[in-house]
Coordinates of all heavy atoms in Angstrom, one line a residue:
F467 N 41.4 17.3 51.0 CA 42.3 17.5 52.0 C 42.8 19.0 52.0 O 42.9 19.5 50.9 CB 43.6 16.6 51.8 CG 43.3 15.2 52.2 CD1 42.8 14.3 51.2 CD2 43.5 14.7 53.4 CE1 42.6 13.0 51.4 CE2 43.3 13.3 53.7 CZ 42.8 12.5 52.7
P469 N 45.6 21.4 54.1 CA 46.2 21.8 52.8 C 46.6 20.5 52.1 O 46.7 19.4 52.7 CB 47.5 22.5 53.2 CG 47.8 22.0 54.5 CD 46.5 21.6 55.2
N470 N 46.8 20.6 50.8 CA 47.2 19.5 50.0 C 48.2 20.0 48.9 O 47.7 20.8 48.0 CB 45.9 18.9 49.3 CG 46.2 17.6 48.6 OD1 47.3 16.9 48.8 ND2 45.3 17.2 47.7
P471 N 49.4 19.6 49.0 CA 50.0 18.6 49.9 C 50.3 19.3 51.3 O 50.4 20.5 51.4 CB 51.3 18.2 49.2 CG 51.6 19.4 48.4 CD 50.4 20.0 48.0
K472 N 50.4 18.4 52.3 CA 50.7 18.8 53.6 C 52.2 18.5 53.9 O 52.6 17.3 53.6 CB 49.9 18.1 54.6 CG 50.1 18.6 56.1 CD 49.1 17.9 57.0 CE 49.3 18.4 58.4 NZ 48.3 17.8 59.4
L473 N 53.0 19.5 54.4 CA 54.4 19.3 54.6 C 54.7 19.3 56.1 O 54.3 20.2 56.8 CB 55.1 20.5 53.9 CG 56.7 20.5 54.1 CD1 57.3 19.3 53.5 CD2 57.2 21.8 53.5
I474 N 55.5 18.3 56.5 CA 56.0 18.2 57.9 C 57.5 17.9 57.8 O 58.0 17.4 56.9 CB 55.2 17.1 58.7 CG1 55.5 15.8 58.0 CG2 53.8 17.5 58.8 CD1 54.9 14.6 58.9
L476 N 60.7 16.2 59.9 CA 61.1 15.3 61.0 C 62.5 14.9 60.8 O 63.1 15.0 59.7 CB 60.2 14.1 60.9 CG 58.7 14.2 61.1 CD1 58.0 12.9 60.8 CD2 58.4 14.7 62.5
L486 N 53.1 10.8 63.7 CA 53.7 11.9 62.9 C 52.8 13.1 62.9 O 53.2 14.2 63.2 CB 53.9 11.4 61.5 CG 55.0 10.2 61.3 CD1 55.2 10.0 59.8 CD2 56.2 10.5 62.0
T487 N 51.6 12.9 62.5 CA 50.6 14.0 62.3 C 49.2 13.4 62.1 O 49.0 12.2 62.0 CB 51.0 14.9 61.1 OG1 50.1 16.1 61.1 CG2 50.9 14.2 59.8
T488 N 48.2 14.3 62.0 CA 46.9 14.0 61.6 C 46.5 14.6 60.3 O 46.6 15.8 60.1 CB 45.9 14.4 62.7 OG1 46.2 13.7 64.0 CG2 44.4 14.0 62.4
F489 N 46.2 13.8 59.3 CA 45.9 14.3 58.0 C 44.4 13.9 57.7 O 44.1 12.8 57.4 CB 46.8 13.6 57.0 CG 46.9 14.3 55.7 CD1 46.6 15.6 55.5 CD2 47.3 13.5 54.5 CE1 46.7 16.2 54.3 CE2 47.4 14.2 53.3 CZ 47.1 15.5 53.2
T490 N 43.6 15.0 57.8 CA 42.1 14.8 57.6 C 41.6 15.5 56.4 O 42.2 16.5 55.9 CB 41.4 15.3 58.9 OG1 41.6 16.6 59.1 CG2 41.8 14.5 60.1
Y504 N 39.7 6.7 55.8 CA 40.9 7.0 55.3 C 41.7 5.7 55.0 O 41.6 4.7 55.8 CB 41.8 7.9 56.2 CG 41.1 9.2 56.5 CD1 40.4 9.3 57.7 CD2 41.3 10.3 55.7 CE1 39.8 10.5 58.0 CE2 40.6 11.5 56.1 CZ 39.9 11.6 57.2 OH 39.3 12.8 57.5
T505 N 42.4 5.6 53.9 CA 43.2 4.5 53.5 C 44.5 5.0 52.9 O 44.6 6.1 52.4 CB 42.5 3.6 52.5 OG1 42.1 4.3 51.4 CG2 41.3 2.9 53.1
R506 N 45.5 4.1 53.0 CA 46.8 4.5 52.4 C 46.7 4.1 50.9 O 46.4 3.0 50.5 CB 47.9 3.7 53.1 CG 49.3 4.1 52.7 CD 50.4 3.3 53.4 NE 50.2 1.9 53.2 CZ 51.0 1.0 53.7 NH1 52.0 1.4 54.5 NH2 50.9 -0.3 53.5
L507 N 47.1 5.1 50.0 CA 47.0 4.8 48.6 C 48.5 4.6 48.1 O 48.6 3.7 47.2 CB 46.4 6.0 47.9 CG 46.2 5.9 46.4 CD1 45.2 4.7 46.1 CD2 45.6 7.2 45.8
S508 N 49.4 5.3 48.5 CA 50.8 5.2 48.0 C 51.8 5.4 49.1 O 51.7 6.5 49.7 CB 51.0 6.1 46.8 OG 52.4 6.1 46.4
D509 N 52.6 4.4 49.4 CA 53.6 4.5 50.4 C 54.8 3.7 49.9 O 54.9 2.5 50.2 CB 53.1 4.0 51.7 CG 54.2 4.2 52.9 OD1 55.1 5.0 52.6 OD2 54.0 3.6 53.9
P510 N 55.7 4.3 49.1 CA 56.7 3.5 48.4 C 57.6 2.7 49.4 O 58.0 1.6 49.0 CB 57.5 4.5 47.6 CG 56.6 5.7 47.5 CD 55.7 5.7 48.7
A511 N 58.0 3.3 50.5 CA 58.9 2.6 51.4 C 58.1 1.8 52.5 O 58.8 1.1 53.3 CB 59.8 3.6 52.1
N512 N 56.8 1.8 52.5 CA 56.0 1.1 53.5 C 56.4 1.5 54.9 O 56.7 0.7 55.8 CB 56.1 -0.4 53.3 CG 55.0 -1.2 53.9 OD1 54.0 -0.6 54.2 ND2 55.3 -2.4 54.3
W513 N 56.4 2.8 55.1 CA 56.8 3.4 56.4 C 55.6 3.8 57.2 O 55.8 3.9 58.5 CB 57.7 4.6 56.2 CG 59.1 4.3 55.8 CD1 59.8 3.0 55.8 CD2 60.1 5.2 55.2 NE1 61.0 3.1 55.3 CE2 61.3 4.4 54.9 CE3 60.1 6.5 54.9 CZ2 62.4 5.0 54.4 CZ3 61.3 7.1 54.4 CH2 62.4 6.3 54.2
L514 N 54.5 4.1 56.6 CA 53.4 4.8 57.4 C 52.2 4.0 57.4 O 52.0 3.1 56.7 CB 53.1 6.2 56.7 CG 54.3 7.1 56.3 CD1 53.9 8.3 55.6 CD2 55.0 7.5 57.7
R515 N 51.3 4.4 58.4 CA 50.0 3.8 58.6 C 49.1 4.9 59.0 O 49.4 5.8 59.7 CB 50.0 2.7 59.7 CG 48.7 2.1 59.9 CD 48.8 0.9 60.9 NE 49.4 1.3 62.2 CZ 50.4 0.8 62.8 NH1 51.0 -0.2 62.1 NH2 50.9 1.3 63.9
I516 N 47.8 4.9 58.5 CA 46.8 5.9 58.8 C 45.6 5.3 59.4 O 45.1 4.2 59.0 CB 46.4 6.7 57.5 CG1 45.5 7.9 57.9 CG2 45.8 5.9 56.5 CD1 45.3 8.9 56.8
G521 N 42.3 9.6 60.8 CA 43.3 10.2 59.9 C 44.7 10.4 60.6 O 45.6 11.1 60.0
R522 N 44.9 9.7 61.8 CA 46.2 9.9 62.5 C 47.2 9.0 61.8 O 47.0 7.8 61.5 CB 46.1 9.5 63.9 CG 47.3 9.7 64.8 CD 47.0 9.6 66.2 NE 46.4 8.3 66.6 CZ 47.2 7.2 66.9 NH1 48.5 7.3 67.0 NH2 46.6 6.0 67.2
I523 N 48.4 9.6 61.5 CA 49.4 8.9 60.7 C 50.5 8.5 61.7 O 51.1 9.4 62.4 CB 50.0 9.7 59.6 CG1 48.8 10.0 58.6 CG2 51.1 9.0 58.9 CD1 49.3 10.9 57.5
T524 N 50.9 7.2 61.7 CA 52.0 6.7 62.6 C 53.0 5.9 61.7 O 52.7 5.6 60.5 CB 51.4 5.7 63.7 OG1 50.7 4.7 63.1 CG2 50.6 6.5 64.6
T525 N 54.1 5.7 62.2 CA 55.2 4.9 61.5 C 55.1 3.5 61.8 O 54.7 3.0 62.9 CB 56.6 5.5 61.9 OG1 56.8 5.3 63.2 CG2 56.7 7.0 61.6
I526 N 55.5 2.7 60.8 CA 55.6 1.2 61.0 C 57.0 0.8 60.8 O 57.3 -0.4 60.8 CB 54.6 0.5 60.1 CG1 54.9 0.8 58.7 CG2 53.2 0.8 60.5 CD1 53.9 0.1 57.7
L529 N 62.3 5.7 59.7 CA 62.5 6.6 58.6 C 64.0 6.8 58.3 O 64.8 7.2 59.2 CB 61.8 8.0 58.9 CG 60.3 7.9 59.3 CD1 59.8 9.3 59.5 CD2 59.5 7.1 58.3
Y535 N 64.0 5.8 48.2 CA 62.6 6.4 48.0 C 62.6 7.9 48.4 O 61.5 8.5 48.2 CB 61.6 5.6 48.7 CG 61.5 4.2 48.3 CD1 62.1 3.2 49.2 CD2 60.9 3.8 47.2 CE1 62.0 1.9 48.8 CE2 60.9 2.5 46.8 CZ 61.4 1.5 47.6 OH 61.4 0.2 47.2
V536 N 63.6 8.4 48.9 CA 63.7 9.8 49.4 C 64.4 10.6 48.3 O 65.5 10.3 48.0 CB 64.4 10.0 50.8 CG1 64.5 11.4 51.2 CG2 63.7 9.1 51.8
K537 N 63.7 11.6 47.8 CA 64.4 12.5 46.8 C 64.5 13.9 47.3 O 63.5 14.5 47.8 CB 63.4 12.5 45.5 CG 63.1 11.2 44.9 CD 64.3 10.4 44.5 CE 64.0 9.1 43.9 NZ 65.1 8.3 43.5
N539 N 65.8 14.9 50.1 CA 65.4 14.9 51.5 C 63.9 14.9 51.7 O 63.4 15.2 52.8 CB 66.0 16.1 52.2 CG 67.5 16.1 52.1 OD1 68.1 15.1 52.0 ND2 68.0 17.3 52.0
M540 N 63.1 14.6 50.6 CA 61.7 14.6 50.7 C 61.1 13.3 50.4 O 61.4 12.6 49.4 CB 61.1 15.7 49.8 CG 59.7 16.0 50.0 SD 59.4 17.0 51.4 CE 60.2 18.5 51.0
Y541 N 60.2 12.8 51.3 CA 59.5 11.5 51.1 C 58.0 11.9 51.0 O 57.4 12.6 51.8 CB 59.7 10.6 52.3 CG 59.0 9.3 52.1 CD1 59.4 8.4 51.3 CD2 57.8 9.1 52.9 CE1 58.8 7.1 51.2 CE2 57.1 7.8 52.7 CZ 57.7 6.9 51.9 OH 57.0 5.7 51.7
S542 N 57.3 11.3 50.0 CA 55.9 11.6 49.7 C 55.1 10.3 49.8 O 55.5 9.3 49.3 CB 55.7 12.2 48.3 OG 56.5 13.4 48.2
A543 N 53.9 10.5 50.4 CA 53.0 9.4 50.5 C 51.6 9.9 50.2 O 51.2 11.1 50.6 CB 53.0 8.7 51.9
T544 N 50.7 9.2 49.6 CA 49.4 9.6 49.2 C 48.4 8.8 50.0 O 48.5 7.6 50.1 CB 49.2 9.4 47.7 OG1 50.3 10.1 47.0 CG2 47.9 10.0 47.2
F545 N 47.3 9.5 50.4 CA 46.2 8.9 51.2 C 44.9 9.2 50.5 O 44.7 10.2 49.8 CB 46.2 9.3 52.6 CG 47.5 9.1 53.3 CD1 48.6 10.0 53.4 CD2 47.7 7.8 54.0 CE1 49.7 9.7 54.0 CE2 48.9 7.5 54.6 CZ 49.9 8.5 54.7
L546 N 44.0 8.3 50.7 CA 42.6 8.4 50.1 C 41.6 8.6 51.2 O 41.5 7.8 52.2 CB 42.4 7.1 49.3 CG 41.0 7.0 48.5 CD1 41.1 8.0 47.4 CD2 40.8 5.6 48.0
A547 N 40.7 9.6 50.9 CA 39.6 9.8 51.8 C 38.3 9.5 51.1 O 38.1 10.1 50.0 CB 39.6 11.3 52.3
G557 N 38.6 11.4 47.6 CA 39.6 12.4 47.2 C 41.0 12.0 47.8 O 41.1 11.2 48.8
T558 N 42.0 12.4 47.2 CA 43.4 12.1 47.6 C 44.1 13.3 48.2 O 43.8 14.4 47.8 CB 44.2 11.5 46.4 OG1 44.3 12.5 45.4 CG2 43.5 10.3 45.8
G559 N 45.1 13.0 49.1 CA 45.9 14.0 49.6 C 47.3 13.5 49.7 O 47.5 12.3 49.9
T560 N 48.3 14.3 49.6 CA 49.7 14.0 49.6 C 50.3 14.6 50.8 O 50.2 15.7 51.2 CB 50.4 14.5 48.4 OG1 49.8 14.0 47.2 CG2 51.9 14.1 48.4
L561 N 51.0 13.7 51.6 CA 51.8 14.1 52.8 C 53.3 14.0 52.4 O 53.8 13.0 51.9 CB 51.5 13.1 53.9 CG 52.3 13.4 55.2 CD1 51.9 14.7 55.8 CD2 52.2 12.3 56.2
Q562 N 53.9 15.2 52.5 CA 55.3 15.3 52.2 C 56.1 15.5 53.5 O 55.8 16.4 54.4 CB 55.6 16.5 51.3 CG 55.0 16.4 49.9 CD 55.3 17.6 49.1 OE1 55.6 18.7 49.6 NE2 55.2 17.5 47.8
I563 N 57.1 14.6 53.7 CA 57.9 14.6 54.9 C 59.3 15.0 54.5 O 60.0 14.3 53.8 CB 57.9 13.1 55.6 CG1 56.4 12.7 55.8 CG2 58.7 13.1 56.8 CD1 56.4 11.3 56.3
S564 N 59.7 16.1 55.1 CA 61.1 16.6 54.9 C 61.9 16.0 56.0 O 61.8 16.3 57.2 CB 61.1 18.1 55.0 OG 62.4 18.6 54.8
L565 N 62.8 15.1 55.7 CA 63.6 14.3 56.7 C 64.9 15.1 56.9 O 65.7 15.4 56.0 CB 63.9 12.9 56.2 CG 62.7 12.0 56.0 CD1 63.1 10.7 55.4 CD2 62.1 11.8 57.3

Side-chain angles (χ1 to χ4, degrees):
F467 289 88
N470 188 17
K472 183 176 183 179
L473 176 64
I474 61 175
L476 299 171
L486 300 184
T487 186
T488 300
F489 198 21
T490 58
Y504 303 95
T505 56
R506 185 180 61 178
L507 186 61
S508 173
D509 185 12
N512 197 24
W513 285 347
L514 307 177
R515 178 176 58 237
I516 188 170
R522 186 169 60 91
I523 298 177
T524 57
T525 61
I526 58 177
L529 305 183
Y535 301 104
V536 177
K537 306 298 181 183
N539 303 327
M540 192 72 67
Y541 179 77
S542 298
T544 305
F545 299 93
L546 182 69
T558 60
T560 301
L561 178 65
Q562 294 181 340
I563 304 175
S564 177
L565 296 176

